[in-house]
């Protein structure tokens, strides 16, 4: 019942980190022309606050931030380019 980013952001940080790596690897193994794309910012539904909030992938934002993913995203992109 949620869009992709709302589902993703409502997962625990440790799960999101593992999921990014697994999905990137899955795409690489199943479609050589495929790429994993992550939004820099998007609105999402927070189950915790039961309201719409804004998701940011970088730690440079300070309002309603979910920035725990920045390092995981960087690592995923670095590993994809090896």
């Amino acid at each position: 019942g949620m869009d992709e980013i709302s589902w993703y952001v409502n997962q625990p940080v440790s799960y999101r980190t593992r999921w990014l790596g697994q999905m990137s690897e899955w795409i690489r193994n199943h479609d050589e022309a495929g790429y994993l794309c992550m939004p820099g910012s998007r609105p999402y539904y927070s189950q915790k606050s039961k309201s719409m909030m804004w998701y940011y992938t970088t730690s440079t934002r300070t309002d309603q931030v979910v920035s725990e993913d920045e390092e995981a995203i960087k690592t995923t992109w670095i590993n994809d380019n090896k």
Side-chain angles (χ1 to χ4, degrees):
M2 285 191 226
D3 67 337
E4 292 89 348
I5 200 66
S6 293
W7 172 84
Y8 176 80
V9 176
N10 281 286
Q11 302 304 312
V13 175
S14 60
Y15 179 82
R16 294 195 311 248
T17 299
R18 279 193 322 274
W19 185 89
L20 278 175
Q22 291 169 347
M23 287 305 103
S24 179
E25 183 176 331
W26 187 92
I27 292 167
R28 192 171 42 254
N29 291 333
H30 287 85
D31 185 351
E32 63 186 42
Y35 292 92
L36 177 65
C37 182
M38 284 295 296
S41 65
R42 273 221 24 219
Y44 76 99
Y45 180 78
S46 169
Q47 290 179 323
K48 186 176 182 178
S49 69
K50 305 216 181 309
S51 65
M52 292 300 290
M53 299 182 77
W54 204 264
Y55 170 77
Y56 297 100
T57 59
T58 64
S59 59
T60 57
R61 299 297 308 223
T62 57
D63 54 327
Q64 297 185 9
V65 175
V66 175
S67 62
E68 299 93 344
D69 298 318
E70 184 174 9
E71 285 303 314
I73 293 168
K74 285 180 187 177
T75 300
T76 299
W77 265 248
I78 289 167
N79 289 339
D80 276 353
N81 289 310
K82 287 184 178 176

